[in-house]
Each structure stands twice: as structure tokens, then as C-alpha cells.
Amino acid sequence: MDRRTARTRVTRSAATLTAGACALLAFAGAAPVGTATVAAAAPPVQVVPASIGQTLISGMSAPIPTSACLAKVKVRCYSPLQYRTAYNLDSLYSSGITGRGRTIVIVDSYGSPTIQHDLNVFDKTWGLPGTTVDVMKWGKVPAWNPKDSNQTGWAGETTLDVEYAHAIAPGARIVLVETAVNENEGTSGLPQMMDAEKYLIDHGVGDVISQSFGATENTFPGFGKNGTPSLTSLRYAFTDAQRHDVTVLGAAGDSGAASETDSGGLYKYPANSWPSADPLVTSVGGTQLTLDNNGVRTAPDTTWNDGYGAGGGGWSYVFSRPAYQNGVARTVGTHRGTPDISMSAAVNGGAWVYSSYLPGQGWGIVGGTSEATPIFSGIVALADQAAGHRLGLINPELYAMGETGAAADGLVDVTTGNNSYGGVKGNQAGRGYDLATGWGTINGARFVHALAANSN
């Protein structure tokens, strides 16, 4: 079968990554490979895909069960139906809580030329209700070029984001914002994304925004000086979201406690990325699930760290501890700590995704916190519907739930594993809040109702 490697070219912008489309696995027993990175040098900060160094499954005509994946390539693969069972969501769907009446906004550069077709195939395969993706082009999005690794990398990210946000909240409207990032024309990336988000917020579009991208704090010009204004000046979409009660999510990254340098490697000490580290954003980290063919757990979840990547988490070096983290000050110290919550992100336990933006693709397995983030965006949309209104910034309620009635409120503690990666010592999971998985993961039926109730 055909096997391709998607690689990200070096750009002139600040070091960035999409947080999970990088975690792609060859359906040929390939060994884990290096962490995806993108080099950078000068402002403005731009966002580019991070598929470098990984390989993409192609040519699979149909997904196969987890047991067959284990037998053939020694890794687990999961369907959206297995995730629904694992996160105890079926009772919500049967009671009519599907995300109906709510809107998930997904922001990706370039998008995918085949996103509607691919979602249709995905839905038909798993028996999910179909939906029409509302595509909004922000700026002069270039014509599709299958030879441009930036565009193909983002197309993979787009496919993952849309398919799994829809799978978890099948009744929600999906708005896909395709931004026109193109460093050859000097077009800035992150400002475009923030402009697009603010426009939609101001026009009443979107209850939750899913962001599967990030830029290492250290790579912003003037990092550590005067509060790093090159970064903080980009927060206007998030402050606007707070005013309009829109929930904003950010993937915590796939390099564990490490993060990408502006020269294409990893920092040799802990670093964090924005927007995940922003106090106005809910940071979504990664776990590894062990499920049987029906989605039933055969072992407790652990911190994602499977050799293909590790869930991001640690301290921000730009933002101080927000008030909602005062109760976990012994863990986070004086800085903003991430993640806040975690969902499935392991490559060994990755998600089936259908793609056709390149010839011969078909079905493949994808992991990373770019999987975890759209999954959690669906959870928020379910809670929005249950509450009957937008939840806005959920972090204060999330931390209150964790500190008072975690299990009863559907928070499931993850107590094993760590996010050490690339020679950088990371953080150990343990009881309660930690910098490996945040408050852990969720029992969806309990969590959705508790979050909705606490947000009232």
C-alpha cells in the first residue's frame, strides 16, 4: 500500500505547531519517530502545520477493529463509537442532548478541499447523522495545491477537527474558518486567526471555539521582557470571548513538558505554548485509553506518553496564576499551569479518520491533543445545550468541581504516567490536579450535567 510522509517546511515565522495532526502513524508497523517542529525567526508569529517527521496511513479502504490493529501493527485504533462508550455519552444522546442548537467554531489555516465529502463518508461509516459544514474563508485563501506541505498538513488537521467535533456533538452546527496563512506573501497567521475569531464572536456565531494550534511562548519576539507584548497583544479575541460568554479551547501540545524552538528542535528545559497557556483558554491535554472493540476500558486511563508524543503540560512563563487556580497553588506556584482537563490523544490508541484530499488516502489513524481538543469541544457543546445557554469561560467552574465534588461531578482522576519528553523531565500524574493531565478526564454523562448546573 502507498505510504507517504507529510513534512513541514521551514518558514520565516515564529516556531509553531498544530497540536495533534503531527501524531500520525503508518499502517506498516513503523516505529515512533521524532517530534514535529517548525523553525522560525522573525515577527509576525505565524502558524504552520506540524506533520513533519511522522507518516500517514493511506490506502485503507475501511477501518478495522482494535483487536485487528493490535494484531497487525501492535497499536490500538479507536472509532468514534468507542469514544462515545468510553466517555459514557450514549445516555445523553438518548435523552436528546446532542449539541442541537449550539455551534462549534473550528479554526484552521487553508482548510481542506474535500472536508464535506470526507465527513459524509465518516458519518456514513459509523452511522452518524450527517451535517453540512459551514465554511468561512478569512482572507485570500490560496487555491488548493497538493504539493504544498503547509496546505496538506493543515488539511489533515482540518479533517481530524471537524470529524471528531461532529462525532461527539452530532447535533451541533460546525463552522470551519479557513484562514489564508501564506508566509510567501508575508501574511501573518495568528493575528488572522484572532481577527476571524473576534469577528465571529462579535456577530454572535459560535458557542465554543476549538483551537488545535500553538506557538511556543519563548519564540515570541521579546519573550520575557515587559510582559511579552508581542504575545499578549494577540489576546483580544479571548477577552472578547469572555465578554460574550464564548468558551475557548486550546490544545496543550504533543511534546510533553518540552516545546519547539525557533530553530527546529526542542528546548532542553520546560516550556509552554500559547494559546493553551492563556488563562482565558481551557487547556486540553492528552491521555491514553485502553479499550476493547466495544469501547469498554480494560485498564484505567494514563497520561499520554507513548513514544510518538506526549501530552503537553507545565507552567506558563508569561501568565501568572489565575484566581481559579488558587486552590492548586501548591502545584502551579505563581504561574498559570496547564492542562486543565485531558481527553484521548495517544497515537497508540489513535482515532480513525477518513481523508481524500490527496490521492490514495482513505482511512488512517491519528492522535495528539488536536484529537483531544475537538473531542472536548463536542463535550462543551453538549453542556451548552443542557444548560440552555453558553457557558463562557468554564475554568472557574471546572476547578470548583475538581476541588469539591470531582467524582460526583464526572471528573475522573488520572493518576499514572508523566509527560517527560525529548530529554526534558516532565510532570507526574497523581491524585487531584497535576501538570500532566490537569483534573484528569471525564465521565461524560455526569460531567455534562454538572458543568451545566455549575455554570448556571
Side-chain angles (χ1 to χ4, degrees), residues 214-279:
T216 307
E217 289 179 336
N218 308 51
T219 63
F220 281 81
F223 169 70
K225 299 178 181 178
N226 302 316
T228 316
S230 63
L231 186 161
T232 55
S233 65
L234 293 169
R235 302 184 70 217
Y236 50 87
F238 304 156
T239 57
D240 199 39
Q242 185 181 35
R243 286 193 296 270
H244 290 82
D245 295 325
V246 174
T247 306
V248 183
L249 310 179
D254 298 340
S255 301
S259 205
E260 292 66 29
T261 69
D262 58 7
S263 58
L266 289 176
Y267 285 99
K268 298 303 181 183
Y269 47 83
N272 212 324
S273 67
W274 186 86
S276 169
D278 199 294

Side-chain angles (χ1 to χ4, degrees), residues 270-367:
N272 212 324
S273 67
W274 186 86
S276 169
D278 199 294
L280 296 179
V281 172
T282 299
S283 174
V284 185
T287 56
Q288 183 172 26
L289 279 65
T290 306
L291 309 177
D292 66 13
N293 287 351
N294 297 316
V296 176
R297 283 179 174 79
T298 58
D301 297 1
T302 189
T303 307
W304 171 39
N305 196 340
D306 61 3
Y308 297 92
W315 295 271
S316 169
Y317 294 92
V318 173
F319 299 102
S320 59
R321 185 184 72 235
Y324 57 77
Q325 288 193 316
N326 286 345
V328 295
R330 292 184 62 180
T331 300
V332 302
T334 60
H335 298 270
R336 158 72 160 136
T338 62
D340 300 306
I341 196 73
S342 293
M343 304 294 282
S344 179
V347 178
N348 183 1
W352 282 110
V353 172
Y354 182 82
S355 306
S356 65
Y357 54 85
L358 291 175
Q361 283 184 298
W363 289 92
I365 305 169
V366 184

Side-chain angles (χ1 to χ4, degrees), residues 364-379:
I365 305 169
V366 184
T369 56
S370 280
E371 173 198 352
T373 305
I375 286 176
F376 195 70
S377 76
I379 297 295

